[in-house]
Amino acid sequence: RLRSPVLHARSLLFRRGRYLLVLDALESAGTHHYDLLWHFDPIIDVRLEAGGIALAASSAPPVLRVCTVGTAPISARVARGETNPIQGWHSPSYGVREPAPTLVYEAQAAGPVLLASILAAAERPGDGPERGVEIESGLAPWGGDVALRVSGPGWEERVLMPNPCRLLSGQARHRPHRLLVDGRETLVPPLAGAHRRR
């Protein structure tokens, strides 16, 4: 249905006890408006901090820190009970709806776009990844991999992930992600999924 179709693919990397890293790749020849939505339960309070980092928490720990960065400029906001467009709702049963926070990251871009998100639990708001995630290189020289830097209090890791769109289009084979910690490389099996949106 789109004049310029978009190919969307997603890869996930779960680091037990640290974070979940989500890489969305969007490939198109045209210009599009993209929304990345994170939906929360109505009892969760979601607030934005500087740099687009969001804190999601209930009345007791843990706190979930969410941060999304991209190769295109991104804006962040929290939608709750909006009607134009309809965003920020929860339906506990058929015919019933109640306002619920939805974290919305928006980008307007032409051509290919990468969005990298990190979700990390922390006992206190100040814990967890400080900057979250940075895209070092969108399409690195080593076979189209995406280079990411993930950091937290006193630690930093580099992650090399295959571009998910290259996997979906058959230009590359599924292979492990490469995780570089303290100069040592670890191979992590990928969890990948993709779909074509027209």
Side-chain angles (χ1 to χ4, degrees), residues 38 40 45-57 63-70 74-78 102-106 116-122 124-134 149-153 155:
W38 299 104
F40 295 91
D45 177 52
V46 179
R47 72 176 196 271
L48 285 171
E49 293 190 326
I53 294 176
L55 297 179
V63 175
L64 180 68
R65 294 171 63 86
V66 183
C67 178
T68 296
V69 297
I74 294 178
S75 62
R77 64 185 180 88
V78 178
T102 299
L103 178 58
V104 182
Y105 288 100
E106 299 175 287
S117 303
I118 187 166
L119 296 88
R124 297 179 306 277
D127 293 343
E130 295 164 334
R131 294 186 302 274
V133 60
E134 298 173 31
R149 184 194 329 262
V150 182
S151 61
W155 60 269

mmCIF file of all heavy atoms in Angstrom, residues 38 40 45-57 63-70 74-78 102-106 116-122 124-134 149-153 155:
data_model
loop_
_atom_site.group_PDB
_atom_site.id
_atom_site.type_symbol
_atom_site.label_atom_id
_atom_site.label_comp_id
_atom_site.label_asym_id
_atom_site.label_seq_id
_atom_site.Cartn_x
_atom_site.Cartn_y
_atom_site.Cartn_z
ATOM 1 N N TRP A 38 6.560 1.492 22.692
ATOM 2 C CA TRP A 38 6.730 0.584 23.822
ATOM 3 C C TRP A 38 5.510 0.778 24.721
ATOM 4 O O TRP A 38 5.302 1.852 25.275
ATOM 5 C CB TRP A 38 8.026 0.877 24.589
ATOM 6 C CG TRP A 38 9.256 0.726 23.749
ATOM 7 C CD1 TRP A 38 10.023 1.717 23.216
ATOM 8 C CD2 TRP A 38 9.865 -0.503 23.334
ATOM 9 N NE1 TRP A 38 11.067 1.193 22.493
ATOM 10 C CE2 TRP A 38 10.998 -0.173 22.550
ATOM 11 C CE3 TRP A 38 9.568 -1.848 23.544
ATOM 12 C CZ2 TRP A 38 11.828 -1.133 21.987
ATOM 13 C CZ3 TRP A 38 10.398 -2.804 22.972
ATOM 14 C CH2 TRP A 38 11.512 -2.449 22.210
ATOM 15 N N PHE A 40 2.983 -0.004 27.992
ATOM 16 C CA PHE A 40 3.102 -0.347 29.404
ATOM 17 C C PHE A 40 1.729 -0.533 30.039
ATOM 18 O O PHE A 40 0.734 0.004 29.553
ATOM 19 C CB PHE A 40 3.871 0.752 30.150
ATOM 20 C CG PHE A 40 5.301 0.878 29.717
ATOM 21 C CD1 PHE A 40 5.653 1.737 28.688
ATOM 22 C CD2 PHE A 40 6.294 0.126 30.322
ATOM 23 C CE1 PHE A 40 6.969 1.848 28.268
ATOM 24 C CE2 PHE A 40 7.612 0.225 29.911
ATOM 25 C CZ PHE A 40 7.951 1.088 28.886
ATOM 26 N N ASP A 45 4.220 4.048 35.784
ATOM 27 C CA ASP A 45 4.492 5.462 35.546
ATOM 28 C C ASP A 45 5.711 5.553 34.632
ATOM 29 O O ASP A 45 6.757 4.976 34.924
ATOM 30 C CB ASP A 45 4.768 6.174 36.880
ATOM 31 C CG ASP A 45 5.139 7.631 36.679
ATOM 32 O OD1 ASP A 45 4.396 8.340 35.986
ATOM 33 O OD2 ASP A 45 6.193 8.045 37.206
ATOM 34 N N VAL A 46 5.572 6.265 33.514
ATOM 35 C CA VAL A 46 6.670 6.416 32.560
ATOM 36 C C VAL A 46 7.007 7.894 32.455
ATOM 37 O O VAL A 46 6.139 8.720 32.194
ATOM 38 C CB VAL A 46 6.292 5.867 31.167
ATOM 39 C CG1 VAL A 46 7.448 6.049 30.194
ATOM 40 C CG2 VAL A 46 5.893 4.399 31.256
ATOM 41 N N ARG A 47 8.280 8.224 32.691
ATOM 42 C CA ARG A 47 8.695 9.622 32.554
ATOM 43 C C ARG A 47 9.989 9.690 31.754
ATOM 44 O O ARG A 47 10.829 8.788 31.813
ATOM 45 C CB ARG A 47 8.835 10.297 33.907
ATOM 46 C CG ARG A 47 9.999 9.875 34.736
ATOM 47 C CD ARG A 47 10.075 10.714 36.031
ATOM 48 N NE ARG A 47 11.346 10.594 36.659
ATOM 49 C CZ ARG A 47 11.667 9.674 37.551
ATOM 50 N NH1 ARG A 47 10.779 8.778 37.907
ATOM 51 N NH2 ARG A 47 12.866 9.646 38.080
ATOM 52 N N LEU A 48 10.116 10.786 31.007
ATOM 53 C CA LEU A 48 11.288 10.991 30.167
ATOM 54 C C LEU A 48 12.340 11.800 30.893
ATOM 55 O O LEU A 48 12.022 12.744 31.611
ATOM 56 C CB LEU A 48 10.896 11.717 28.882
ATOM 57 C CG LEU A 48 10.171 10.883 27.823
ATOM 58 C CD1 LEU A 48 9.659 11.775 26.714
ATOM 59 C CD2 LEU A 48 11.085 9.812 27.264
ATOM 60 N N GLU A 49 13.609 11.415 30.673
ATOM 61 C CA GLU A 49 14.743 12.175 31.183
ATOM 62 C C GLU A 49 15.478 12.778 29.997
ATOM 63 O O GLU A 49 15.101 12.583 28.841
ATOM 64 C CB GLU A 49 15.677 11.257 31.975
ATOM 65 C CG GLU A 49 15.089 10.723 33.255
ATOM 66 C CD GLU A 49 16.136 10.026 34.093
ATOM 67 O OE1 GLU A 49 17.055 9.400 33.522
ATOM 68 O OE2 GLU A 49 16.045 10.112 35.327
ATOM 69 N N ALA A 50 16.552 13.469 30.270
ATOM 70 C CA ALA A 50 17.371 14.071 29.216
ATOM 71 C C ALA A 50 17.905 12.985 28.290
ATOM 72 O O ALA A 50 18.184 11.864 28.724
ATOM 73 C CB ALA A 50 18.528 14.850 29.833
ATOM 74 N N GLY A 51 18.042 13.330 27.031
ATOM 75 C CA GLY A 51 18.604 12.400 26.055
ATOM 76 C C GLY A 51 17.636 11.337 25.586
ATOM 77 O O GLY A 51 18.045 10.359 24.968
ATOM 78 N N GLY A 52 16.346 11.490 25.883
ATOM 79 C CA GLY A 52 15.358 10.520 25.426
ATOM 80 C C GLY A 52 15.322 9.238 26.213
ATOM 81 O O GLY A 52 14.678 8.268 25.808
ATOM 82 N N ILE A 53 16.008 9.184 27.373
ATOM 83 C CA ILE A 53 15.955 7.992 28.215
ATOM 84 C C ILE A 53 14.664 8.043 29.022
ATOM 85 O O ILE A 53 14.303 9.073 29.586
ATOM 86 C CB ILE A 53 17.170 7.913 29.152
ATOM 87 C CG1 ILE A 53 18.444 7.723 28.324
ATOM 88 C CG2 ILE A 53 17.016 6.783 30.157
ATOM 89 C CD1 ILE A 53 19.712 7.727 29.139
ATOM 90 N N ALA A 54 13.942 6.924 29.057
ATOM 91 C CA ALA A 54 12.684 6.843 29.794
ATOM 92 C C ALA A 54 12.848 5.926 30.996
ATOM 93 O O ALA A 54 13.561 4.917 30.935
ATOM 94 C CB ALA A 54 11.575 6.327 28.895
ATOM 95 N N LEU A 55 12.182 6.279 32.091
ATOM 96 C CA LEU A 55 12.135 5.441 33.279
ATOM 97 C C LEU A 55 10.702 4.969 33.454
ATOM 98 O O LEU A 55 9.773 5.773 33.479
ATOM 99 C CB LEU A 55 12.565 6.218 34.520
ATOM 100 C CG LEU A 55 13.998 6.730 34.553
ATOM 101 C CD1 LEU A 55 14.256 7.502 35.843
ATOM 102 C CD2 LEU A 55 14.975 5.576 34.437
ATOM 103 N N ALA A 56 10.524 3.659 33.560
ATOM 104 C CA ALA A 56 9.207 3.070 33.763
ATOM 105 C C ALA A 56 9.226 2.327 35.090
ATOM 106 O O ALA A 56 10.077 1.464 35.307
ATOM 107 C CB ALA A 56 8.864 2.125 32.618
ATOM 108 N N ALA A 57 8.301 2.684 35.990
ATOM 109 C CA ALA A 57 8.315 2.076 37.312
ATOM 110 C C ALA A 57 6.913 2.007 37.894
ATOM 111 O O ALA A 57 6.054 2.821 37.575
ATOM 112 C CB ALA A 57 9.222 2.862 38.249
ATOM 113 N N VAL A 63 13.123 -0.685 38.391
ATOM 114 C CA VAL A 63 12.836 0.363 37.427
ATOM 115 C C VAL A 63 13.330 -0.121 36.067
ATOM 116 O O VAL A 63 14.393 -0.734 35.972
ATOM 117 C CB VAL A 63 13.580 1.667 37.814
ATOM 118 C CG1 VAL A 63 13.405 2.732 36.757
ATOM 119 C CG2 VAL A 63 13.115 2.156 39.168
ATOM 120 N N LEU A 64 12.562 0.128 35.022
ATOM 121 C CA LEU A 64 13.002 -0.216 33.674
ATOM 122 C C LEU A 64 13.463 1.047 32.980
ATOM 123 O O LEU A 64 12.728 2.030 32.912
ATOM 124 C CB LEU A 64 11.866 -0.857 32.868
ATOM 125 C CG LEU A 64 12.220 -1.265 31.429
ATOM 126 C CD1 LEU A 64 13.215 -2.427 31.436
ATOM 127 C CD2 LEU A 64 10.973 -1.632 30.646
ATOM 128 N N ARG A 65 14.715 1.020 32.496
ATOM 129 C CA ARG A 65 15.252 2.150 31.722
ATOM 130 C C ARG A 65 15.193 1.769 30.246
ATOM 131 O O ARG A 65 15.622 0.687 29.860
ATOM 132 C CB ARG A 65 16.684 2.448 32.134
ATOM 133 C CG ARG A 65 16.819 2.965 33.563
ATOM 134 C CD ARG A 65 18.267 3.047 33.995
ATOM 135 N NE ARG A 65 19.032 3.987 33.209
ATOM 136 C CZ ARG A 65 19.126 5.294 33.452
ATOM 137 N NH1 ARG A 65 18.467 5.817 34.456
ATOM 138 N NH2 ARG A 65 19.874 6.075 32.702
ATOM 139 N N VAL A 66 14.660 2.679 29.433
ATOM 140 C CA VAL A 66 14.527 2.443 28.001
ATOM 141 C C VAL A 66 15.188 3.604 27.267
ATOM 142 O O VAL A 66 14.967 4.768 27.610
ATOM 143 C CB VAL A 66 13.047 2.347 27.576
ATOM 144 C CG1 VAL A 66 12.936 2.037 26.082
ATOM 145 C CG2 VAL A 66 12.309 1.297 28.394
ATOM 146 N N CYS A 67 15.991 3.279 26.271
ATOM 147 C CA CYS A 67 16.641 4.308 25.462
ATOM 148 C C CYS A 67 16.691 3.829 24.023
ATOM 149 O O CYS A 67 17.031 2.678 23.759
ATOM 150 C CB CYS A 67 18.053 4.577 25.973
ATOM 151 S SG CYS A 67 18.954 5.786 24.985
ATOM 152 N N THR A 68 16.315 4.710 23.090
ATOM 153 C CA THR A 68 16.389 4.392 21.667
ATOM 154 C C THR A 68 17.183 5.479 20.955
ATOM 155 O O THR A 68 16.959 6.669 21.184
ATOM 156 C CB THR A 68 14.978 4.289 21.048
ATOM 157 O OG1 THR A 68 14.281 3.189 21.641
ATOM 158 C CG2 THR A 68 15.058 4.058 19.547
ATOM 159 N N VAL A 69 18.121 5.060 20.124
ATOM 160 C CA VAL A 69 18.897 5.986 19.288
ATOM 161 C C VAL A 69 18.784 5.505 17.850
ATOM 162 O O VAL A 69 18.397 4.369 17.594
ATOM 163 C CB VAL A 69 20.377 6.053 19.722
ATOM 164 C CG1 VAL A 69 20.514 6.588 21.141
ATOM 165 C CG2 VAL A 69 21.047 4.699 19.598
ATOM 166 N N GLY A 70 19.120 6.388 16.911
ATOM 167 C CA GLY A 70 19.000 5.998 15.517
ATOM 168 C C GLY A 70 19.985 6.717 14.622
ATOM 169 O O GLY A 70 20.676 7.653 15.040
ATOM 170 N N ILE A 74 15.782 11.462 16.306
ATOM 171 C CA ILE A 74 14.637 10.827 16.975
ATOM 172 C C ILE A 74 14.106 11.762 18.050
ATOM 173 O O ILE A 74 14.883 12.374 18.791
ATOM 174 C CB ILE A 74 15.059 9.490 17.620
ATOM 175 C CG1 ILE A 74 15.442 8.486 16.551
ATOM 176 C CG2 ILE A 74 13.943 8.922 18.480
ATOM 177 C CD1 ILE A 74 15.918 7.173 17.114
ATOM 178 N N SER A 75 12.781 11.844 18.153
ATOM 179 C CA SER A 75 12.152 12.555 19.267
ATOM 180 C C SER A 75 11.407 11.522 20.117
ATOM 181 O O SER A 75 11.000 10.467 19.614
ATOM 182 C CB SER A 75 11.193 13.639 18.769
ATOM 183 O OG SER A 75 10.144 13.060 18.026
ATOM 184 N N ALA A 76 11.240 11.823 21.396
ATOM 185 C CA ALA A 76 10.582 10.894 22.313
ATOM 186 C C ALA A 76 9.464 11.608 23.053
ATOM 187 O O ALA A 76 9.569 12.794 23.382
ATOM 188 C CB ALA A 76 11.595 10.329 23.303
ATOM 189 N N ARG A 77 8.385 10.877 23.312
ATOM 190 C CA ARG A 77 7.283 11.402 24.107
ATOM 191 C C ARG A 77 6.526 10.234 24.716
ATOM 192 O O ARG A 77 6.691 9.079 24.297
ATOM 193 C CB ARG A 77 6.341 12.263 23.266
ATOM 194 C CG ARG A 77 5.616 11.531 22.175
ATOM 195 C CD ARG A 77 4.785 12.468 21.308
ATOM 196 N NE ARG A 77 4.091 11.744 20.266
ATOM 197 C CZ ARG A 77 2.888 11.188 20.391
ATOM 198 N NH1 ARG A 77 2.234 11.272 21.539
ATOM 199 N NH2 ARG A 77 2.335 10.548 19.384
ATOM 200 N N VAL A 78 5.692 10.534 25.709
ATOM 201 C CA VAL A 78 4.843 9.522 26.329
ATOM 202 C C VAL A 78 3.399 9.859 25.979
ATOM 203 O O VAL A 78 2.930 10.967 26.258
ATOM 204 C CB VAL A 78 5.037 9.473 27.856
ATOM 205 C CG1 VAL A 78 4.101 8.450 28.483
ATOM 206 C CG2 VAL A 78 6.485 9.156 28.207
ATOM 207 N N THR A 102 2.253 4.839 26.726
ATOM 208 C CA THR A 102 2.966 4.294 25.578
ATOM 209 C C THR A 102 4.139 5.210 25.292
ATOM 210 O O THR A 102 3.960 6.410 25.074
ATOM 211 C CB THR A 102 2.049 4.209 24.336
ATOM 212 O OG1 THR A 102 0.952 3.337 24.618
ATOM 213 C CG2 THR A 102 2.815 3.672 23.138
ATOM 214 N N LEU A 103 5.331 4.652 25.334
ATOM 215 C CA LEU A 103 6.541 5.408 25.023
ATOM 216 C C LEU A 103 6.702 5.417 23.512
ATOM 217 O O LEU A 103 6.750 4.361 22.873
ATOM 218 C CB LEU A 103 7.737 4.756 25.710
ATOM 219 C CG LEU A 103 9.109 5.364 25.481
ATOM 220 C CD1 LEU A 103 9.162 6.828 25.907
ATOM 221 C CD2 LEU A 103 10.163 4.549 26.233
ATOM 222 N N VAL A 104 6.756 6.611 22.919
ATOM 223 C CA VAL A 104 6.785 6.760 21.464
ATOM 224 C C VAL A 104 8.104 7.413 21.050
ATOM 225 O O VAL A 104 8.418 8.519 21.481
ATOM 226 C CB VAL A 104 5.615 7.629 20.967
ATOM 227 C CG1 VAL A 104 5.626 7.724 19.442
ATOM 228 C CG2 VAL A 104 4.279 7.100 21.473
ATOM 229 N N TYR A 105 8.881 6.705 20.234
ATOM 230 C CA TYR A 105 10.063 7.281 19.597
ATOM 231 C C TYR A 105 9.711 7.497 18.134
ATOM 232 O O TYR A 105 9.253 6.571 17.458
ATOM 233 C CB TYR A 105 11.267 6.348 19.727
ATOM 234 C CG TYR A 105 11.827 6.276 21.123
ATOM 235 C CD1 TYR A 105 11.516 5.217 21.963
ATOM 236 C CD2 TYR A 105 12.677 7.271 21.601
ATOM 237 C CE1 TYR A 105 12.037 5.153 23.249
ATOM 238 C CE2 TYR A 105 13.193 7.212 22.882
ATOM 239 C CZ TYR A 105 12.872 6.152 23.701
ATOM 240 O OH TYR A 105 13.385 6.088 24.971
ATOM 241 N N GLU A 106 9.922 8.723 17.619
ATOM 242 C CA GLU A 106 9.527 9.069 16.262
ATOM 243 C C GLU A 106 10.732 9.528 15.449
ATOM 244 O O GLU A 106 11.611 10.211 15.968
ATOM 245 C CB GLU A 106 8.493 10.195 16.278
ATOM 246 C CG GLU A 106 7.214 9.827 17.006
ATOM 247 C CD GLU A 106 6.270 11.002 17.114
ATOM 248 O OE1 GLU A 106 6.557 11.915 17.915
ATOM 249 O OE2 GLU A 106 5.241 11.004 16.411
ATOM 250 N N ALA A 116 18.255 1.545 17.409
ATOM 251 C CA ALA A 116 18.776 0.632 18.424
ATOM 252 C C ALA A 116 18.176 1.017 19.768
ATOM 253 O O ALA A 116 18.241 2.174 20.178
ATOM 254 C CB ALA A 116 20.301 0.701 18.483
ATOM 255 N N SER A 117 17.575 0.034 20.448
ATOM 256 C CA SER A 117 16.932 0.275 21.741
ATOM 257 C C SER A 117 17.540 -0.633 22.781
ATOM 258 O O SER A 117 17.855 -1.792 22.505
ATOM 259 C CB SER A 117 15.421 -0.006 21.661
ATOM 260 O OG SER A 117 14.802 0.765 20.664
ATOM 261 N N ILE A 118 17.684 -0.096 23.977
ATOM 262 C CA ILE A 118 18.149 -0.902 25.096
ATOM 263 C C ILE A 118 17.115 -0.812 26.205
ATOM 264 O O ILE A 118 16.587 0.260 26.494
ATOM 265 C CB ILE A 118 19.546 -0.462 25.585
ATOM 266 C CG1 ILE A 118 20.059 -1.436 26.635
ATOM 267 C CG2 ILE A 118 19.555 0.951 26.106
ATOM 268 C CD1 ILE A 118 21.529 -1.297 26.938
ATOM 269 N N LEU A 119 16.795 -1.960 26.795
ATOM 270 C CA LEU A 119 15.870 -2.046 27.924
ATOM 271 C C LEU A 119 16.630 -2.739 29.047
ATOM 272 O O LEU A 119 17.149 -3.850 28.857
ATOM 273 C CB LEU A 119 14.611 -2.841 27.556
ATOM 274 C CG LEU A 119 13.734 -2.226 26.464
ATOM 275 C CD1 LEU A 119 14.179 -2.674 25.087
ATOM 276 C CD2 LEU A 119 12.286 -2.595 26.687
ATOM 277 N N ALA A 120 16.713 -2.078 30.190
ATOM 278 C CA ALA A 120 17.495 -2.624 31.305
ATOM 279 C C ALA A 120 16.785 -2.361 32.616
ATOM 280 O O ALA A 120 16.318 -1.246 32.868
ATOM 281 C CB ALA A 120 18.892 -2.004 31.323
ATOM 282 N N ALA A 121 16.707 -3.387 33.446
ATOM 283 C CA ALA A 121 16.094 -3.251 34.766
ATOM 284 C C ALA A 121 17.138 -2.772 35.764
ATOM 285 O O ALA A 121 18.318 -3.087 35.664
ATOM 286 C CB ALA A 121 15.506 -4.581 35.227
ATOM 287 N N ALA A 122 16.683 -1.970 36.738
ATOM 288 C CA ALA A 122 17.571 -1.464 37.785
ATOM 289 C C ALA A 122 16.787 -1.378 39.080
ATOM 290 O O ALA A 122 15.565 -1.205 39.076
ATOM 291 C CB ALA A 122 18.116 -0.089 37.395
ATOM 292 N N ARG A 124 17.241 0.997 41.317
ATOM 293 C CA ARG A 124 16.978 2.413 41.572
ATOM 294 C C ARG A 124 17.054 3.166 40.255
ATOM 295 O O ARG A 124 17.726 2.732 39.323
ATOM 296 C CB ARG A 124 18.013 2.982 42.551
ATOM 297 C CG ARG A 124 17.980 2.347 43.930
ATOM 298 C CD ARG A 124 19.047 2.949 44.844
ATOM 299 N NE ARG A 124 20.391 2.904 44.285
ATOM 300 C CZ ARG A 124 21.190 1.837 44.346
ATOM 301 N NH1 ARG A 124 20.788 0.746 44.938
ATOM 302 N NH2 ARG A 124 22.394 1.879 43.814
ATOM 303 N N PRO A 125 16.393 4.335 40.153
ATOM 304 C CA PRO A 125 16.404 5.088 38.903
ATOM 305 C C PRO A 125 17.798 5.399 38.377
ATOM 306 O O PRO A 125 18.008 5.451 37.179
ATOM 307 C CB PRO A 125 15.651 6.371 39.254
ATOM 308 C CG PRO A 125 14.742 5.970 40.359
ATOM 309 C CD PRO A 125 15.508 4.940 41.151
ATOM 310 N N GLY A 126 18.790 5.604 39.233
ATOM 311 C CA GLY A 126 20.133 5.967 38.785
ATOM 312 C C GLY A 126 20.974 4.803 38.320
ATOM 313 O O GLY A 126 22.061 4.992 37.791
ATOM 314 N N ASP A 127 20.490 3.565 38.522
ATOM 315 C CA ASP A 127 21.245 2.387 38.095
ATOM 316 C C ASP A 127 20.994 2.104 36.615
ATOM 317 O O ASP A 127 20.187 2.744 35.973
ATOM 318 C CB ASP A 127 20.833 1.156 38.914
ATOM 319 C CG ASP A 127 21.237 1.287 40.372
ATOM 320 O OD1 ASP A 127 22.088 2.148 40.670
ATOM 321 O OD2 ASP A 127 20.681 0.554 41.206
ATOM 322 N N GLY A 128 21.677 1.084 36.107
ATOM 323 C CA GLY A 128 21.450 0.667 34.724
ATOM 324 C C GLY A 128 22.308 1.460 33.762
ATOM 325 O O GLY A 128 23.094 2.315 34.151
ATOM 326 N N PRO A 129 22.161 1.187 32.473
ATOM 327 C CA PRO A 129 22.986 1.876 31.469
ATOM 328 C C PRO A 129 22.833 3.385 31.567
ATOM 329 O O PRO A 129 21.735 3.897 31.671
ATOM 330 C CB PRO A 129 22.435 1.335 30.147
ATOM 331 C CG PRO A 129 21.838 0.021 30.499
ATOM 332 C CD PRO A 129 21.298 0.176 31.875
ATOM 333 N N GLU A 130 23.975 4.096 31.568
ATOM 334 C CA GLU A 130 23.933 5.555 31.700
ATOM 335 C C GLU A 130 23.484 6.186 30.386
ATOM 336 O O GLU A 130 22.453 6.829 30.312
ATOM 337 C CB GLU A 130 25.322 6.067 32.085
ATOM 338 C CG GLU A 130 25.757 5.595 33.461
ATOM 339 C CD GLU A 130 27.250 5.776 33.667
ATOM 340 O OE1 GLU A 130 28.008 5.779 32.674
ATOM 341 O OE2 GLU A 130 27.653 5.915 34.826
ATOM 342 N N ARG A 131 24.276 6.004 29.341
ATOM 343 C CA ARG A 131 23.893 6.526 28.033
ATOM 344 C C ARG A 131 22.988 5.536 27.326
ATOM 345 O O ARG A 131 22.269 5.895 26.426
ATOM 346 C CB ARG A 131 25.142 6.778 27.177
ATOM 347 C CG ARG A 131 26.027 7.889 27.713
ATOM 348 C CD ARG A 131 27.156 8.188 26.749
ATOM 349 N NE ARG A 131 27.980 7.022 26.465
ATOM 350 C CZ ARG A 131 28.999 6.643 27.207
ATOM 351 N NH1 ARG A 131 29.324 7.330 28.290
ATOM 352 N NH2 ARG A 131 29.711 5.597 26.885
ATOM 353 N N GLY A 132 23.049 4.287 27.746
ATOM 354 C CA GLY A 132 22.257 3.264 27.091
ATOM 355 C C GLY A 132 23.014 2.653 25.939
ATOM 356 O O GLY A 132 23.866 1.811 26.133
ATOM 357 N N VAL A 133 22.723 3.115 24.730
ATOM 358 C CA VAL A 133 23.310 2.502 23.547
ATOM 359 C C VAL A 133 23.660 3.596 22.545
ATOM 360 O O VAL A 133 22.974 4.604 22.447
ATOM 361 C CB VAL A 133 22.345 1.456 22.938
ATOM 362 C CG1 VAL A 133 21.032 2.096 22.524
ATOM 363 C CG2 VAL A 133 22.975 0.721 21.773
ATOM 364 N N GLU A 134 24.747 3.399 21.839
ATOM 365 C CA GLU A 134 25.161 4.311 20.772
ATOM 366 C C GLU A 134 25.444 3.488 19.526
ATOM 367 O O GLU A 134 25.994 2.394 19.612
ATOM 368 C CB GLU A 134 26.441 5.059 21.152
ATOM 369 C CG GLU A 134 26.317 5.939 22.375
ATOM 370 C CD GLU A 134 27.658 6.514 22.792
ATOM 371 O OE1 GLU A 134 28.511 6.736 21.904
ATOM 372 O OE2 GLU A 134 27.852 6.726 23.994
ATOM 373 N N ARG A 149 27.723 0.441 20.813
ATOM 374 C CA ARG A 149 28.418 0.519 22.090
ATOM 375 C C ARG A 149 27.355 0.633 23.184
ATOM 376 O O ARG A 149 26.492 1.501 23.134
ATOM 377 C CB ARG A 149 29.334 1.729 22.146
ATOM 378 C CG ARG A 149 30.163 1.788 23.437
ATOM 379 C CD ARG A 149 30.831 3.136 23.696
ATOM 380 N NE ARG A 149 31.205 3.860 22.511
ATOM 381 C CZ ARG A 149 32.434 3.873 21.980
ATOM 382 N NH1 ARG A 149 33.382 3.162 22.521
ATOM 383 N NH2 ARG A 149 32.699 4.597 20.918
ATOM 384 N N VAL A 150 27.409 -0.273 24.160
ATOM 385 C CA VAL A 150 26.469 -0.277 25.282
ATOM 386 C C VAL A 150 27.274 -0.009 26.543
ATOM 387 O O VAL A 150 28.330 -0.607 26.750
ATOM 388 C CB VAL A 150 25.744 -1.634 25.398
ATOM 389 C CG1 VAL A 150 24.733 -1.614 26.521
ATOM 390 C CG2 VAL A 150 25.067 -1.988 24.082
ATOM 391 N N SER A 151 26.784 0.916 27.378
ATOM 392 C CA SER A 151 27.561 1.250 28.573
ATOM 393 C C SER A 151 26.651 1.423 29.785
ATOM 394 O O SER A 151 25.474 1.757 29.669
ATOM 395 C CB SER A 151 28.357 2.539 28.344
ATOM 396 O OG SER A 151 27.472 3.610 28.073
ATOM 397 N N GLY A 152 27.225 1.180 30.936
ATOM 398 C CA GLY A 152 26.557 1.357 32.220
ATOM 399 C C GLY A 152 27.559 1.814 33.241
ATOM 400 O O GLY A 152 28.717 2.087 32.900
ATOM 401 N N PRO A 153 27.161 1.910 34.515
ATOM 402 C CA PRO A 153 28.088 2.368 35.546
ATOM 403 C C PRO A 153 29.290 1.431 35.674
ATOM 404 O O PRO A 153 29.164 0.302 36.110
ATOM 405 C CB PRO A 153 27.248 2.348 36.829
ATOM 406 C CG PRO A 153 25.837 2.328 36.363
ATOM 407 C CD PRO A 153 25.835 1.635 35.042
ATOM 408 N N TRP A 155 31.079 -0.047 33.323
ATOM 409 C CA TRP A 155 31.289 -1.072 32.299
ATOM 410 C C TRP A 155 30.893 -0.543 30.929
ATOM 411 O O TRP A 155 30.122 0.394 30.803
ATOM 412 C CB TRP A 155 30.531 -2.358 32.612
ATOM 413 C CG TRP A 155 29.038 -2.215 32.725
ATOM 414 C CD1 TRP A 155 28.322 -1.954 33.858
ATOM 415 C CD2 TRP A 155 28.071 -2.319 31.667
ATOM 416 N NE1 TRP A 155 26.982 -1.888 33.566
ATOM 417 C CE2 TRP A 155 26.800 -2.117 32.234
ATOM 418 C CE3 TRP A 155 28.168 -2.566 30.298
ATOM 419 C CZ2 TRP A 155 25.637 -2.142 31.476
ATOM 420 C CZ3 TRP A 155 26.992 -2.599 29.543
ATOM 421 C CH2 TRP A 155 25.742 -2.395 30.138
#
